[in-house]
Amino acid sequence: MQNLIKYTPPSWASKLRSIPQYYVKLAQRSTPINQWNLQSAFPDRKISNFQIYIKRDDMTGSVLSGNKVRKLEFLLADAMHNKCNLILTAGGIQSNHCRTTAVAARQLGLSTGLFLRCDEDVRSNLQLVGCQGNVFLNSMVESKIYLIERKAQFVPDILPKMHTLAAHLQDTTGDKCYMVPIGGSNTIGLFGYIDCFQELIEQGLFENFDDIVVTCGSGGTTCGLALSNYLTGSKVKLHAICICSDSNYFYQHIDDTLESLQLNHQIKARDIVDIIDGYAGLGYGLSTEEEMKLSYDVSRSTGIILDPVYNTKAVNGMLYEMENNPQRFQGRRILYVHTGNAASDYDIQIEF
């Protein structure tokens, strides 16, 4: 297929198992690294000992912005290579991952079916779903929507539903389905942030930074960065701040990925990343007034927009650790990886 591009991994990743054969061009790569004056947003906070920089992966595109699109370059290429024409994936009702998957798939001539988690009252009254934010964008590219329980987990609950639907569609319409996990977090999507790490190296990561900080929502971006940091022999320390679940869940997710790559006898997740608990707030997709105030102060002072679901919570955690647990960091030159945002995340009104 003309969209498929032969993939060659960085030399330091060339011996990994399950290297994708192809990728498709979706992301605007080589996103910039800029100095980030967070002290201007919080003049009373004791963070002046740190030099903070930001990797602008919120600039990988417009509707396709953020970390999701890097993973989808490999996942959708794999789907096309396997002659699949319908992509199935899952997330919350306003999932950025689902919206990005739906739009990217349509650009490549593929259809999508989205399993969206929501409350019982929404599932029983479809008018409550509305047509705002990502729900609206999903409808614009004619995605099929399947509403499921808010607490549904991917492997035990959602994946069996996907297999049932895929079998039904294969029999009735001839559609061949390709299943993408939540957040695109598997051994194929992993290569989105293996490639990104090579980009960081070329931008002076080893020479200019001591620590990397990133948000952790499904574990795929964290796993890609952590594995890359290990494979290159980097001395940079990686920190990932949980915005849902807890550190044990994400350590297990990374260990499972390492096992799939047959690296589990060499390394363990706890050896290659510091996963930080305590900053999920009210839970996934729920914001406190304090968190929204932080997001507003950052955007007002620095012009960087932080989404409330992922990056606001992560930056909140990073700043607190800098003030109250500075020894957690290896050095004072910090690179924060901004994993993207969408205006649809701000479906609220708040006054300051």
Side-chain angles (χ1 to χ4, degrees):
M1 295 184 182
Q2 63 178 2
N3 290 305
L4 296 181
I5 303 169
K6 192 72 176 175
Y7 176 62
T8 303
S11 58
W12 46 264
S14 61
K15 294 183 179 180
L16 286 175
R17 291 174 56 86
S18 305
I19 294 173
Q21 295 183 55
Y22 301 98
Y23 72 98
V24 291
K25 180 69 171 68
L26 295 170
Q28 301 301 315
R29 301 191 182 194
S30 298
T31 55
I33 293 175
N34 303 131
Q35 192 164 11
W36 197 15
N37 185 13
L38 284 175
Q39 188 72 75
S40 66
F42 309 104
D44 297 329
R45 300 191 73 162
K46 298 175 183 178
I47 58 173
S48 60
N49 288 337
F50 290 92
Q51 301 172 45
I52 307 171
Y53 290 77
I54 183 169
K55 168 69 168 170
R56 296 294 307 276
D57 252 23
D58 57 322
M59 296 175 64
T60 51
S62 56
V63 181
L64 299 181
S65 69
N67 61 333
K68 317 298 185 189
V69 68
R70 287 188 184 265
K71 304 174 195 179
L72 287 168
E73 288 195 326
F74 293 92
L75 291 160
L76 296 183
D78 191 51
M80 295 171 69
H81 178 60
N82 285 284
K83 305 288 192 292
C84 297
N85 66 307
L86 199 157
I87 309 300
L88 301 179
T89 194
I93 191 71
Q94 286 287 352
S95 167
N96 287 334
H97 161 70
C98 287
R99 176 257 303 159
T100 304
T101 302
V103 174
R106 181 55 75 196
Q107 289 180 2
L108 296 169
L110 307 173
S111 300
T112 48
L114 308 177
F115 288 73
L116 301 182
R117 297 184 289 199
C118 59
D119 293 326
E120 174 62 33
D121 60 337
V122 175
R123 298 202 312 278
S124 59
N125 184 357
L126 295 183
Q127 288 186 342
L128 295 177
V129 175
C131 195
Q132 296 177 322
N134 286 331
V135 173
F136 173 73
L137 294 175
N138 293 336
S139 70
M140 289 289 287
V141 292
E142 292 192 325
S143 296
K144 301 291 189 209
I145 305 298
Y146 305 93
L147 300 180
I148 56 175
E149 304 84 5
R150 175 182 281 276
K151 293 183 179 180
Q153 298 299 305
F154 185 72
V155 173
D157 305 316
I158 303 173
L159 193 56
K161 289 182 172 65
M162 286 185 174
H163 281 298
T164 299
L165 177 63
H168 172 72
L169 292 174
Q170 179 79 56
D171 291 341
T172 57
T173 66
D175 287 321
K176 186 177 180 181
C177 296
Y178 183 91
M179 293 163 222
V180 174
I182 292 172
S185 297
N186 62 11
T187 55
I188 296 175
L190 180 78
F191 280 83
Y193 272 83
I194 287 176
D195 260 22
C196 181
F197 198 87
Q198 178 62 33
E199 189 175 296
L200 289 171
I201 293 172
E202 294 167 4
Q203 291 176 309
L205 173 66
F206 298 157
E207 297 83 6
N208 299 323
F209 301 102
D210 305 304
D211 298 76
I212 299 172
V213 180
V214 68
T215 186
C216 188
S218 65
T221 298
T222 297
C223 186
L225 292 174
L227 179 58
S228 300
N229 205 39
Y230 166 76
L231 290 174
T232 57
S234 165
K235 303 304 181 184
V236 175
K237 185 175 181 181
L238 175 66
H239 313 267
I241 298 176
C242 294
I243 58 87
C244 60
S245 301
D246 58 28
S247 59
N248 289 329
Y249 172 86
F250 290 112
Y251 280 130
Q252 186 60 55
H253 169 79
I254 295 172
D255 279 334
D256 290 344
T257 303
L258 294 174
E259 184 175 1
S260 297
L261 296 169
Q262 296 188 0
L263 293 172
N264 54 307
H265 298 300
Q266 297 181 36
I267 49 170
K268 299 296 183 186
R270 293 177 187 273
D271 300 327
I272 59 175
V273 59
D274 171 34
I275 302 181
I276 305 173
D277 283 319
Y279 301 101
L282 297 175
Y284 182 83
L286 302 173
S287 298
T288 65
E289 186 173 339
E290 178 186 5
E291 288 168 349
M292 295 309 300
K293 179 66 162 58
L294 180 144
S295 179
Y296 171 76
D297 288 340
V298 170
S299 62
R300 175 180 56 83
S301 299
T302 73
I304 301 295
I305 307 300
L306 301 178
D307 68 285
V309 178
Y310 297 98
N311 288 282
T312 292
K313 293 176 187 288
V315 170
N316 181 42
M318 178 180 71
L319 293 174
Y320 186 90
E321 294 293 324
M322 285 177 173
E323 279 192 295
N324 298 283
N325 193 17
Q327 66 273 16
R328 180 161 220 150
F329 298 92
Q330 181 171 262
R332 293 297 177 262
R333 301 175 301 170
I334 311 299
L335 177 62
Y336 181 80
V337 178
H338 191 326
T339 57
N341 60 71
S344 59
D345 289 327
Y346 291 94
D347 191 19
I348 59 171
Q349 276 192 318
I350 191 165
E351 294 181 0
F352 297 111

